[in-house]
Amino acid sequence: EAGVAQSPRYKIIEKRQSVAFWCNPISGHATLYWYQQILGQGPKLLIQFQNNGVVDDSQLPKDRFSAERLKGVDSTLKIQPAKLEDSAVYLCASSLDGRQPQHFGDGTRLSIL
Amino acid sequence: GQQLNQSPQSMFIQEGEDVSMNCTSSSIFNTWLWYKQEPGEGPVLLIALYKAGELTSNGRLTAQFGITRKDSFLNISASIPSDVGIYFCAGDSGGGADGLTFGKGTHLIIQP
């Protein structure tokens, strides 16, 4: 089975610019997650979707971060405007139903200049 | 919020040695998971534990879900070079409405 697909793999932007990441979960997986992983730390949850609805976005900095999963399959995560502290790897994960283990994509490595 | 304390932070071992790492939490988790991450890749699931006291093996890997539901350990027997990477524990509060809470990782380095 194909894994979680993410693009782009790398992105370099200047602070105050905008950036968007894309995720395609494992086929049939209803639950999708976005995590932020800062260098030297474990991933931290940003937002969780169940189909096209948000389940938990309590740790998403909503003044600059937004995410959507309009058709309940692919998802995009956007940062506008970016700050230096947003430099991190952004990981997407999916789960069959939120109770089964999560499987991760290889992430997008974001560097802010 | 919930925090996981993972130790050791790093391990330098010789090939063939056994490895042990653990994770503790101030909160109860309903599921414990262990992931391995290599440079430039996402975390890969190694073992999932669903019941307090459960002991599960996956090849040379063995993990246990602590009886108090606040801790877990992972053992790797007879380490080989491809075991190099960062190992993360993760806790799931359950119910399908929470993401995972991750530890800071144990960086395993195998010396030739």
Side-chain angles (χ1 to χ4, degrees):
Chain A
E1 116 187 307
V4 176
Q6 290 189 246
S7 67
R9 288 300 312 274
Y10 305 93
K11 191 72 179 179
I12 301 173
I13 63 172
E14 295 184 349
K15 60 183 179 183
R16 291 188 289 274
Q17 285 188 326
S18 303
V19 64
F21 314 125
W22 174 82
C23 172
N24 182 239
I26 293 173
S27 178
H29 279 199
T31 312
L32 185 148
Y33 311 79
W34 284 101
Y35 288 83
Q36 180 193 57
Q37 185 176 22
I38 293 173
L39 187 65
Q41 298 185 19
K44 185 187 87 170
L45 178 71
L46 292 175
I47 189 168
Q48 176 184 347
F49 291 93
Q50 181 72 18
N51 297 309
N52 62 349
V54 175
V55 174
D56 180 8
D57 63 356
S58 57
Q59 299 188 76
L60 187 73
K62 299 181 188 63
D63 57 334
R64 298 183 300 105
F65 286 65
S66 64
E68 59 183 18
R69 194 186 185 200
L70 293 176
K71 296 184 178 180
V73 181
D74 294 6
S75 177
T76 56
L77 175 69
K78 296 179 182 178
I79 308 175
Q80 179 180 12
K83 291 186 175 181
L84 292 175
E85 61 259 34
D86 298 332
S87 292
V89 176
Y90 291 85
L91 294 163
C92 179
S94 71
S95 166
L96 187 62
D97 59 5
R99 289 177 171 79
Q100 298 302 311
Q102 297 176 30
H103 297 270
F104 286 80
D106 285 336
T108 296
R109 182 176 299 276
L110 175 66
S111 297
I112 312 293
L113 303 178
Chain B
Q2 297 169 324
Q3 290 188 356
L4 294 185
N5 298 309
Q6 188 171 349
S7 64
Q9 188 173 5
S10 58
M11 300 185 72
F12 296 80
I13 64 168
Q14 301 282 341
E15 182 178 351
E17 289 184 15
D18 297 341
V19 172
S20 183
M21 59 191 79
N22 67 80
C23 221
T24 60
S25 170
S26 57
S27 306
I28 289 174
F29 286 106
N30 290 323
T31 303
W32 281 91
L33 305 105
W34 286 91
Y35 287 85
K36 178 187 177 187
Q37 188 173 29
E38 298 186 37
E41 300 182 6
V44 174
L45 181 67
L46 298 174
I47 292 180
L49 302 157
Y50 299 101
K51 290 173 58 175
E54 178 182 356
L55 184 72
T56 297
S57 293
N58 178 8
R60 294 178 295 105
L61 277 60
T62 302
Q64 184 158 30
F65 190 148
I67 198 73
T68 65
R69 293 163 63 194
K70 292 184 177 182
D71 62 300
S72 177
F73 72 74
L74 173 71
N75 289 341
I76 306 173
S77 63
S79 59
I80 59 177
S82 61
D83 290 334
V84 167
I86 303 177
Y87 292 79
F88 289 99
C89 62
D92 188 344
S93 299
D98 295 311
L100 298 175
T101 300
F102 280 83
K104 290 189 174 183
T106 294
H107 193 174
L108 180 62
I109 299 164
I110 299 179
Q111 296 170 325

